């Protein structure tokens, strides 16, 4: 497509600008201008023979900013359709698509523009950008994301992304995603969820005794006092573990045959896949701190980094499916290393042979295939003043419904049925 905003002919079209932005993501460890020169040289020699691209880094960034409002929504929608096809393949082997939601913060250079656009978050030192992502836990495939100020709300982001979740998906969330607003939004969207809850959650029991007899298990209700005009939520509380290490999970899957207690514990532990995604983005890919010194440019840098992560993961999954390798065994570090080596090796005389070699290299390096028998931690962990104490989760606060609350629930049910 042509530039949607420019009124004259420009060399940085949406295609060439997007290609340069993706190549710059792979070239880390140097300044933005050096990464731009490497990406431009790679495009001239390998990707766009006979096609001219712009010659300056400022011209590229201005083109990305100018085209962002039109190009990014179209690109995200197309990527989501492609991700949906990959998730449908995973669904054939399991009855649910497990997605985890979590937020993380990116450090920014300490400039006045970053403080105005993103603000200084909870660290109190440098500006930070908040990104909330939804990731497939087994493969690290990114489904959706939001970028906001450092003090933005992860809950608001999840409410926005709730209706766009794929069908037959189960959303896994940590203790940050609690509240009647989030649970009701996911319930309206007909999406299953499994979220950890603690002592900051207030629930009711014995509100509808007949319903509790019909559904086996610990049935609880979420019905805040300031939302009594809305429909209450019937949920199921699952306790996993024993003693002080017990974890309390809340789900809207009421039938125990569809979600066993032991299965819920195994599924929730897979939420760690979203933490591995952040480690890959920040440490393996090198995006622990952004380099752009302007607020809008930093947002573009982070947007294209997440887009590149999605494309790289899809390339690895496609190669794994061709060679009949389980997608969980793909190594993100080896995948990034292979792509960096292939894309920046210089001029190639036979692109077809290079493409075939790249597909073979993408699946040559996989994760270790051994079973760990000891915890993955240091034998001599350092003791400092900032070493946190072991976390012991408190159970949610549950009380029996009063007679007045039961009467109001019956009246509300009759009004809703009418």
């Amino acid at each position: 497509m042509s530039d949607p905003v420019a009124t004259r002919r420009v060399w940085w079209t949406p295609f060439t600008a997007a290609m340069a932005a993706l190549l710059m993501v792979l070239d880390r460890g140097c300044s933005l201008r050096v990464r731009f020169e490497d990406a431009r040289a790679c495009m001239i020699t390998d990707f766009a023979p006979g096609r001219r691209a712009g010659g300056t880094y400022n011209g590229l960034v201005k083109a990305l900013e100018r085209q962002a409002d039109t190009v990014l929504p179209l690109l995200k929608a197309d990527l989501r359709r492609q991700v949906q096809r990959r998730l449908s393949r995973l669904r054939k082997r399991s009855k649910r698509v497990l997605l985890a939601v979590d937020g993380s913060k990116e450090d920014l250079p300490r400039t006045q523009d970053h403080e105005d656009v993103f603000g200084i978050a909870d660290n109190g030192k440098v500006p930070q950008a908040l990104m909330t992502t939804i990731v497939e836990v087994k493969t690290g495939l990114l489904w959706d994301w939001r970028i906001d100020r450092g003090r933005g709300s992860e809950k608001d982001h999840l409410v926005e992304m709730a209706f766009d979740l794929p069908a037959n998906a189960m959303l896994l969330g940590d203790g940050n995603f609690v509240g009647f607003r989030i649970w009701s939004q996911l319930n309206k969207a007909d999406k299953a969820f499994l979220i950890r809850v603690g002592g900051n959650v207030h629930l009711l029991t014995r509100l509808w005794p007949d319903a509790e007899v019909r559904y086996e298990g610990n049935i609880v209700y979420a019905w805040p006092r300031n939302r009594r005009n809305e429909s209450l939520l019937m949920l199921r509380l699952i306790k996993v573990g024993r003693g002080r290490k017990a974890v309390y999970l809340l789900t809207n899957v009421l039938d125990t045959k569809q979600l066993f207690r032991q299965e819920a514990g195994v599924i929730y532990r897979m939420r760690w896949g979203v933490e591995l995604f952040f480690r890959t983005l920040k440490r393996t890919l090198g995006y622990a701190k952004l380099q752009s010194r302007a607020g809008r440019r930093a947002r573009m840098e982070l947007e294209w980094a997440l887009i590149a992560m999605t494309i790289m993961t899809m390339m690895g999954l496609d190669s794994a499916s061709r060679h009949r390798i389980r997608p969980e065994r793909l190594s993100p570090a080896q995948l990034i290393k292979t792509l960096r080596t292939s894309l920046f090796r210089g001029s190639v005389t036979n692109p077809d042979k290079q493409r075939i070699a790249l597909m073979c290299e993408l699946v040559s390096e996989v994760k270790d295939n051994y079973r760990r028998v000891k915890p993955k931690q240091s034998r001599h962990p350092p003791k400092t003043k900032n070493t946190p104490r072991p976390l012991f989760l408190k159970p949610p606060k549950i009380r029996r419904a009063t007679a007045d609350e039961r009467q109001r629930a019956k009246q509300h049910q009759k009004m809703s049925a009418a």
Side-chain angles (χ1 to χ4, degrees):
M1 59 180 296
S2 59
D3 194 300
V5 180
T7 57
R8 57 181 178 83
R9 184 181 180 185
V10 293
W11 294 115
W12 287 116
T13 62
F15 173 77
T16 55
M19 183 65 68
L22 293 176
L23 293 177
M24 287 179 63
V25 173
L26 291 174
D27 190 15
R28 295 295 295 174
C30 52
S31 64
L32 292 172
R33 293 187 181 277
V34 175
R35 289 158 54 190
F36 165 75
E37 294 295 338
D38 294 341
R40 186 171 179 272
C42 182
M43 292 175 59
I44 292 176
T45 56
D46 291 346
F47 288 92
R51 179 178 295 181
R52 181 179 173 183
T56 63
Y57 169 70
N58 284 331
L60 170 63
V61 177
K62 289 180 180 178
L64 291 175
E65 295 178 1
R66 183 175 63 248
Q67 302 163 4
D69 295 338
T70 304
V71 173
L72 286 182
L74 294 176
L75 182 57
K76 289 181 180 180
D78 184 72
L79 286 177
R80 193 174 299 167
R81 286 191 293 268
Q82 298 189 42
V83 171
Q84 179 68 45
R85 290 199 294 268
R86 273 78 177 182
L87 294 180
S88 62
R89 299 174 190 171
L90 298 176
R91 194 183 308 164
K92 294 179 181 179
R93 294 179 296 173
S94 60
K95 57 183 179 180
R96 294 189 183 93
V97 176
L98 302 179
L99 302 176
V101 58
D102 203 358
S104 182
K105 294 179 181 178
E106 287 279 347
D107 291 341
L108 303 169
R110 196 169 184 176
T111 63
Q112 185 61 43
D113 191 58
H114 282 321
E115 293 185 9
D116 296 338
V117 175
F118 292 100
I120 296 179
D122 51 2
N123 62 359
K125 297 179 180 180
V126 297
Q128 288 182 319
L130 172 65
M131 57 177 175
T132 306
T133 59
I134 297 179
V135 180
E136 204 279 327
V137 296
K138 296 182 180 179
T139 61
L141 191 58
L142 183 60
W143 171 258
D144 201 356
W145 68 88
R146 294 290 186 273
I147 299 175
D148 201 355
R149 295 174 58 90
R151 293 184 179 274
S153 174
E154 300 174 357
K155 297 180 180 180
D156 294 341
H157 298 164
L158 178 56
V159 170
E160 294 177 5
M161 297 184 288
F163 285 94
D164 295 329
L165 293 175
N168 200 22
M170 172 169 280
L171 187 69
L172 311 179
D174 204 357
N176 297 331
F177 300 93
V178 297
F180 181 83
R181 184 167 65 102
I182 294 179
W183 303 334
S184 61
Q185 190 76 355
L186 291 172
N187 218 38
K188 290 178 183 177
D190 196 19
K191 308 300 180 183
F193 62 84
L194 187 66
I195 297 177
R196 179 174 63 84
V197 294
N200 60 336
V201 175
H202 297 262
L203 301 171
L204 295 175
T205 186
R206 304 294 296 174
L207 190 60
W208 285 338
D210 55 340
E212 298 179 17
V213 173
R214 185 167 63 253
Y215 295 103
E216 298 179 1
N218 193 2
I219 300 297
V220 294
Y221 306 90
W223 201 20
R225 296 181 183 276
N226 56 349
R227 292 178 178 266
R228 291 297 167 87
N229 57 341
E230 301 182 18
S231 299
L232 57 87
L233 292 179
M234 182 188 301
L235 304 171
R236 178 176 162 216
L237 185 65
I238 303 174
K239 180 181 178 181
V240 180
R242 298 178 180 178
R244 303 182 68 182
K245 294 185 178 180
V247 176
Y248 297 87
L249 306 175
L250 200 65
T251 179
N252 58 348
V253 181
L254 304 180
D255 192 355
T256 56
K257 296 181 180 179
Q258 297 182 8
L259 182 63
F260 299 100
R261 185 179 66 85
Q262 294 82 357
E263 183 185 5
V266 174
I267 289 177
Y268 181 75
R269 282 192 290 269
M270 298 177 67
R271 191 202 66 87
W272 194 250
V274 69
E275 305 293 348
L276 299 180
F277 170 82
F278 288 133
R279 185 191 67 178
T280 302
L281 175 65
K282 293 186 176 183
R283 300 304 171 187
T284 308
L285 199 58
Y287 271 81
K289 183 176 181 179
L290 304 181
Q291 296 189 23
S292 300
R293 303 186 64 83
R296 186 169 175 80
R297 293 189 175 187
R299 181 182 291 271
M300 290 296 102
E301 184 182 356
L302 186 55
E303 288 274 8
W304 284 103
L306 295 173
I307 292 174
M309 284 281 293
T310 308
I311 295 176
M312 288 187 293
T313 307
M314 288 194 297
M315 292 179 64
L317 292 178
D318 292 342
S319 300
S321 62
R322 294 191 189 98
H323 293 78
R324 296 183 179 180
I325 297 177
R326 290 181 302 164
E328 304 93 88
R329 293 200 61 201
L330 288 177
S331 172
Q334 294 296 338
L335 177 65
I336 295 172
K337 178 182 176 181
T338 302
L339 289 174
R340 281 174 172 168
T341 305
S342 176
L343 293 174
F344 294 100
R345 62 179 44 158
S347 180
V348 179
T349 57
N350 194 332
D352 294 333
K353 290 185 178 180
Q354 184 200 19
R355 189 178 302 108
I356 295 174
L358 174 61
M359 292 296 105
C360 295
E361 291 176 2
L362 287 177
V363 295
S364 61
E365 299 289 346
V366 294
K367 295 179 182 178
D368 296 330
N369 197 23
Y370 64 88
R371 179 173 296 180
R372 190 176 301 277
V373 296
K374 295 182 179 180
K376 189 177 180 181
Q377 63 183 3
S378 175
R379 292 180 298 169
H380 308 288
K383 297 294 184 181
T384 63
K385 294 182 179 180
N386 297 328
T387 301
R389 297 180 179 179
L391 178 63
F392 297 106
L393 303 177
K394 297 181 179 180
K397 298 178 181 179
I398 304 176
R399 66 174 179 86
R400 295 188 61 173
T402 62
D404 181 59
E405 289 174 335
R406 288 195 293 268
Q407 184 66 25
R408 293 181 61 180
K410 292 180 180 179
Q411 295 178 357
H412 193 275
Q413 183 184 20
K414 293 179 181 179
M415 294 176 60
S416 300

